[in-house]
Amino acid sequence: MITPEDAKAMALSLEGTEEKPHFHRTAFTVNKKIFATLLAGDANLNLMFDPQTQFIFCPPGSAIIFPVPNKWGLKGATTINLKKANKKLVMKALKEAYNLRKEK
């Protein structure tokens, strides 16, 4: 299990990351682009992947990491259930989302 505070610290450890409010979530940005959002109350971290990266990270039927169940999910937005995830997965996924946004 990863706490929301742990996920926040991991996101902010990535160079140039800024924390900003985003509706009822906390957003993490690089180059003014959101790469992740955190909903602390539900212990969910959303990552802004592309569809190819989402396919790599999300095994079918996973309750740990899965596409957001809406049109954003079809574009690559992915949720990690922090209550079920481990630190290695969360950090790897954060770095991937960060790199995708940093390059653009």
Side-chain angles (χ1 to χ4, degrees), residues 6-80:
D6 292 336
K8 177 180 174 177
M10 285 189 272
L12 291 172
S13 74
L14 300 170
E15 184 180 344
T17 296
E18 294 183 11
E19 176 183 354
K20 301 186 186 244
H22 183 69
F23 299 98
H24 58 284
R25 295 178 166 270
T26 301
F28 301 100
T29 65
V30 62
N31 295 333
K32 299 182 181 181
K33 296 178 182 134
I34 295 174
F35 68 89
T37 64
L38 177 65
L39 184 57
D42 288 346
N44 282 329
L45 181 68
N46 283 355
L47 302 155
M48 303 306 135
F49 286 158
D50 56 28
Q52 296 82 8
T53 304
Q54 182 186 70
F55 180 81
I56 293 167
F57 272 86
C58 297
S62 175
I64 299 169
I65 184 168
F66 47 89
V68 171
N70 59 29
K71 294 216 181 232
W72 282 101
L74 296 174
K75 295 178 181 182
T78 302
T79 297
I80 295 182

Side-chain angles (χ1 to χ4, degrees), residues 83-101:
K83 294 176 184 175
K84 297 180 179 183
N86 63 46
K87 188 174 184 175
K88 183 178 177 181
L89 171 64
V90 172
M91 195 66 206
K92 186 175 179 179
L94 277 167
K95 284 181 180 178
E96 190 66 35
Y98 168 89
N99 287 330
L100 286 167
R101 294 296 190 205

